[in-house]
Amino acid sequence: MPCVELNSISSALERFCRMETQSKCILLIAVLTAVLPLELHHLVAAVLGAAGYMFMQWLEPSVKRQVPRKDSERRLRSRAGVEPGAERLGAAPRRCDAAPNGGRFELRQRRGFTPVENQKWSALRAVPAPAPLVKPEVKRPSVMPVKAPKFAAGSWQDEVHELLQSLMKPAVRLALNPVLDASVKAYCLAQPMSGTAFGVAVPEVEVVVTVDGKGADGKLQKSMIRTCTDRLVSHGDFKFRRSAFRGSEPKVTLIAPAQQASAPFNLAVNALTPLRCSQLFEAATQLNPMAAELILLVRRWAKDRGVSHAAKGHLSPYGWMLLAIFYLQDAEQLPPMGFVPQSRSCPAFSPSAATTGELLKGFMKFYSSFDWAKESIAVRAGQRKAPVRALVLLHEDGQTRPGPNIEDPFEPANNLGSGMHWLSMERLHEEFERAVKLSEASSLADLLEPWTPPEN
């Protein structure tokens, strides 16, 4: 048996600390066995226990851990005092003057890339990542399919006026306060029970539960939304429809009981978008009553044509309202809306003469030829300008297409079009082109024909 020479107590302790855990345990057991006054049956029991433990360890599957290939080189570099970033492509590492034991360390120099290899790796890094998988919507059977609206009027302007009369919101009361012990406020811009397509997917009513002292933490919001939903479903006879937790403001869609007209609504906690939408809508209405009419028409058209469902990668109703306001600013119907986020009073403004029907046609023409790559939607400034940071959408064929840049007037750095993908952008172009053709020679009912996904 080899003998371990101990020059001093310090050297012995140093070597003991460097030993592995298993070796330390074996050494301690051997010392205790030799020192303690144990009898023969005690030693036999200890040996049997150790043998049993080794047998159990042998039965367990062993895991082979991969040893880093450059571990010794890293250790050598740290001893030699070479900086981690000193060894670059084609550069020789530094060497120390003297090693701790009096010798010299020789660090192996890594081979640098040749110009051909550099060009190859640069080409590989330039290849964009694959486009995200987007599943197109497929037509599904419906028990109660929604049909296009029918109008008694004959002209385009009369049909627009008739539709606006049906969009005016009635008094719908949701009894949520007895169920939810918190501050609850509802926002609604249009008639919530008009029986439109995607009426449940994109409700007109937004209910916001405000909890004092709570920030906009996503996890906290989701947890509180689940709690509120459980209470409404279990104690209030509300029906749960779907949840949308992937967006910046998580929310769920519920349906009120029959006593409350079975109105669908979105439920969110500490959400800011419904309040901001309401503030912009009220300011635009004060400046120009036709602005409110156009906003309602655009939101209704986008909902019926299936391009207003944000969970599917389309623009949200708030984004469509900003598109309508920006067009009205370009048509000299609204001034810059920078005063709304700053909580200032509405300025004096005189809009140019136009009808709501003409503005609806102009809205479709304006965005059918809009250059999304060179222009952005900024209602704060109220004028055309280049986007600060262009949004690029990657198609599944590997090509890139420009995406929309819609500035949130309350958060200028927030692009409301960042949630779109290549398929939703193509649908946006298709709907604008279709609307331009139908608005010239067809009725408003044809324009509002509910969109149905293609067959399988």
Side-chain angles (χ1 to χ4, degrees), residues 1-211:
M1 182 175 179
C3 178
V4 180
E5 296 182 359
L6 301 178
N7 297 329
S8 63
I9 298 178
S10 60
S11 60
L13 293 175
E14 184 179 358
R15 294 189 179 185
F16 178 77
C17 294
R18 293 180 181 178
M19 295 174 61
E20 298 180 355
T21 305
Q22 186 176 4
S23 302
K24 292 179 181 179
C25 295
I26 295 175
L27 181 60
L28 290 176
I29 292 174
V31 172
L32 292 176
T33 304
V35 173
L36 295 178
L38 301 176
E39 297 183 2
L40 182 60
H41 62 277
H42 293 160
L43 296 176
V44 172
V47 171
L48 292 177
Y53 177 77
M54 295 175 62
F55 179 73
M56 295 298 294
Q57 292 290 330
W58 178 76
L59 290 178
E60 293 183 358
S62 59
V63 179
K64 295 183 179 180
R65 301 184 181 274
Q66 185 177 3
V67 181
R69 290 177 297 178
K70 298 183 180 180
D71 184 55
S72 59
E73 185 178 350
R74 291 196 194 99
R75 232 185 265 120
L76 190 63
R77 189 185 297 112
S78 62
R79 292 180 184 177
V82 180
E83 298 177 359
E87 187 175 339
R88 296 186 177 90
L89 297 178
R94 300 188 317 181
R95 300 178 182 177
C96 65
D97 295 334
N101 57 359
R104 293 184 63 84
F105 289 110
E106 291 289 334
L107 294 182
R108 185 173 52 188
Q109 181 176 354
R110 296 179 61 182
R111 180 181 64 88
F113 287 151
T114 61
V116 177
E117 291 175 333
N118 284 330
Q119 184 178 2
K120 175 183 177 181
W121 284 110
S122 299
L124 291 176
R125 284 192 293 266
V127 176
L133 181 61
V134 179
K135 296 182 179 180
E137 298 183 50
V138 180
K139 184 178 180 180
R140 298 179 181 179
S142 177
V143 180
M144 298 179 60
V146 180
K147 298 181 180 180
K150 296 181 179 181
F151 301 102
S155 64
W156 176 270
Q157 181 59 33
D158 293 338
E159 289 178 345
V160 169
H161 179 73
E162 185 178 346
L163 178 61
L164 288 173
Q165 293 298 323
S166 65
L167 292 179
M168 295 304 173
K169 57 182 180 180
V172 178
R173 186 176 182 84
L174 297 178
L176 302 179
N177 287 324
V179 182
L180 300 179
D181 188 13
S183 175
V184 181
K185 191 171 183 179
Y187 302 89
C188 181
L189 301 184
Q191 217 273 55
M193 300 302 299
S194 57
T196 61
F198 302 93
V200 178
V202 189
E204 290 291 342
V205 182
E206 299 281 346
V207 177
V208 179
V209 180
T210 304
V211 181

Side-chain angles (χ1 to χ4, degrees), residues 174-454:
L174 297 178
L176 302 179
N177 287 324
V179 182
L180 300 179
D181 188 13
S183 175
V184 181
K185 191 171 183 179
Y187 302 89
C188 181
L189 301 184
Q191 217 273 55
M193 300 302 299
S194 57
T196 61
F198 302 93
V200 178
V202 189
E204 290 291 342
V205 182
E206 299 281 346
V207 177
V208 179
V209 180
T210 304
V211 181
D212 296 335
K214 303 295 183 181
D217 185 12
K219 294 183 179 179
L220 179 62
Q221 286 178 313
K222 295 176 184 178
S223 176
M224 297 180 66
I225 289 175
R226 294 189 182 99
T227 303
C228 296
T229 304
D230 292 340
R231 296 189 62 181
L232 289 173
V233 173
S234 59
H235 301 288
D237 296 333
F238 290 80
K239 296 181 181 180
F240 172 80
R241 276 298 171 261
R242 61 177 54 85
S243 61
F245 283 176
R246 295 184 179 180
S248 58
E249 292 182 344
K251 57 187 175 182
V252 296
T253 303
L254 301 173
I255 296 181
Q259 297 83 357
Q260 304 181 33
S262 300
F265 64 95
N266 287 330
L267 176 67
V269 174
N270 291 354
L272 300 176
T273 301
L275 175 61
R276 295 171 176 177
C277 184
S278 178
Q279 291 176 351
L280 281 174
F281 185 79
E282 292 177 0
T285 305
Q286 293 179 8
L287 292 169
N288 188 355
M290 286 189 300
E293 297 178 355
L294 181 65
I295 291 173
L296 294 179
L297 291 173
V298 169
R299 285 164 59 107
R300 169 64 185 268
W301 167 78
K303 182 189 295 186
D304 287 348
R305 295 304 301 170
V307 289
S308 183
H309 195 186
K312 297 292 185 180
H314 300 286
L315 289 178
S316 64
Y318 180 47
W320 281 106
M321 186 181 68
L322 294 179
L323 290 184
I325 291 177
F326 186 74
Y327 161 71
L328 291 172
Q329 292 173 337
D330 187 78
E332 298 181 355
Q333 297 292 327
L334 283 178
M337 305 297 288
F339 65 92
V340 179
Q342 300 175 3
S343 300
R344 292 187 286 122
S345 58
C346 297
F349 180 77
S350 298
S352 59
T355 63
T356 309
E358 294 173 351
L359 292 177
L360 181 60
K361 292 181 180 180
F363 173 84
M364 303 302 176
K365 294 180 181 179
F366 178 77
Y367 285 107
S368 63
S369 60
F370 192 81
D371 192 353
W372 297 99
K374 299 180 181 180
E375 296 181 289
S376 62
I377 308 299
V379 300
R380 288 173 62 98
Q383 57 184 358
R384 299 191 178 191
K385 65 177 183 178
V388 178
R389 184 177 181 182
L391 178 64
V392 179
L393 304 178
L394 183 61
H395 197 275
E396 61 180 3
D397 58 4
Q399 299 181 1
T400 58
R401 288 165 174 76
N405 292 272
I406 305 175
E407 176 188 285
D408 188 347
F410 295 87
E411 297 181 17
N414 182 22
N415 182 11
L416 298 176
S418 59
M420 298 188 66
H421 46 72
W422 64 268
L423 183 58
S424 61
M425 197 63 191
E426 287 187 355
R427 288 270 296 113
L428 187 71
H429 288 293
E430 292 174 0
E431 290 302 326
F432 278 128
E433 293 176 359
R434 172 186 177 274
V436 170
K437 294 178 181 179
L438 293 179
S439 61
E440 294 295 337
S442 302
S443 64
L444 186 61
D446 296 331
L447 182 66
L448 299 179
E449 178 73 26
W451 176 77
T452 56

